[in-house]
Amino acid sequence: MSNQQVDRSKRRFLIAATTAVGGVAGVAVMVPFVMSMLPSERAKAAGAPVDVDISKLESGMLLAVAWQGKPVWVVNRTKEMLARLPKNDSFLLDPKSEQPQQPEYCKNEWRSIKPEFLVVVGICTHLGCSPTFRKEVGAADLGADWPGGWLCPCHGSKYDLAARVFKDVPAPLNMDIPPYKFVNDNLILVGDDSKGA
């Protein structure tokens, strides 16, 4: 043992300083680790709502946009297209949209907020293919009774102009309707339906 006197105040100070520096270093090491678990800016942007300008979308036409890496179609349906929808009911698997493939506010005959504008995720519910828009009535390759809609070229699934699936095709469900709202008469926000659409 040494004959020197131990300075207890200096020892307490050194212990406190070492503990504080160690704590700061521990936090500095943990910050990048914790930050790596948060979604990247790119991932946040991929899930962000998308503005769709429909001011130039002509009647009977389809506009395609991307939301969350999926195609979303906006169709400006004509009065004739809307008039044909109830006539398809007996040929459809889920004509009243009982399966939860759409928000509650789109659980209607048109599967939309405004009857003329259909907003739908353009993915077949069978194997995830992207169906082809075939709006022409009685297309020669689809038969005289074809009412217009979508045809999935991979396995032959068919959907009407409300994206409801026909009976006796491989697809088990209607196409999905994403959450959306009308910001104004010319702008739809896909991916956000806050404030009750």
Side-chain angles (χ1 to χ4, degrees):
M1 291 261 163
S2 170
N3 291 337
Q4 293 178 347
Q5 180 100 8
V6 175
D7 185 354
R8 291 191 187 272
S9 65
K10 195 182 264 186
R11 181 174 283 178
R12 279 190 217 116
F13 172 76
L14 288 173
I15 289 173
T18 304
T19 303
V21 169
V24 169
V27 169
V29 167
M30 291 302 293
V31 165
F33 177 71
V34 170
M35 293 299 286
S36 72
M37 291 188 221
L38 298 175
S40 67
E41 291 303 315
R42 183 176 177 189
K44 287 179 191 174
V50 176
D51 288 327
V52 182
D53 180 2
I54 57 171
S55 61
K56 295 181 180 153
L57 184 59
E58 296 178 21
S59 192
M61 300 306 292
L62 177 143
L63 174 66
V65 296
W67 171 66
Q68 294 187 343
K70 302 174 204 165
V72 172
W73 299 326
V74 180
V75 180
N76 186 354
R77 296 179 286 200
T78 64
K79 287 183 180 15
E80 295 79 21
M81 290 173 164
L82 291 170
R84 285 195 301 270
L85 290 178
K87 298 173 186 172
N88 299 335
D89 286 2
S90 63
F91 304 108
L92 300 172
L93 189 60
D94 184 13
K96 301 298 180 204
S97 300
E98 299 298 326
Q99 294 295 323
Q101 299 300 107
Q102 63 281 319
E104 277 300 314
Y105 52 83
C106 289
K107 194 172 180 183
N108 54 45
E109 182 179 350
W110 311 284
R111 298 186 76 216
S112 59
I113 296 171
K114 294 182 179 181
E116 64 274 18
F117 289 105
L118 174 68
V119 179
V120 61
V121 176
I123 297 177
C124 179
T125 59
H126 176 229
L127 291 176
C129 306
S130 187
T132 305
F133 187 46
R134 300 291 304 271
K135 67 180 181 178
E136 64 279 356
V137 176
D141 59 331
L142 297 173
D145 60 343
W146 174 248
W150 285 271
L151 169 69
C152 185
C154 302
H155 300 100
S157 292
K158 297 175 185 175
Y159 301 87
D160 75 348
L161 288 166
R164 300 175 298 178
V165 69
F166 281 87
K167 293 177 183 174
D168 303 320
V169 298
L173 299 167
N174 296 339
M175 284 195 270
D176 290 331
I177 305 294
Y180 73 98
K181 66 181 179 182
F182 281 84
V183 177
N184 57 46
D185 287 341
N186 295 320
L187 189 66
I188 296 174
L189 185 62
V190 176
D192 181 11
D193 59 2
S194 58
K195 296 185 184 173

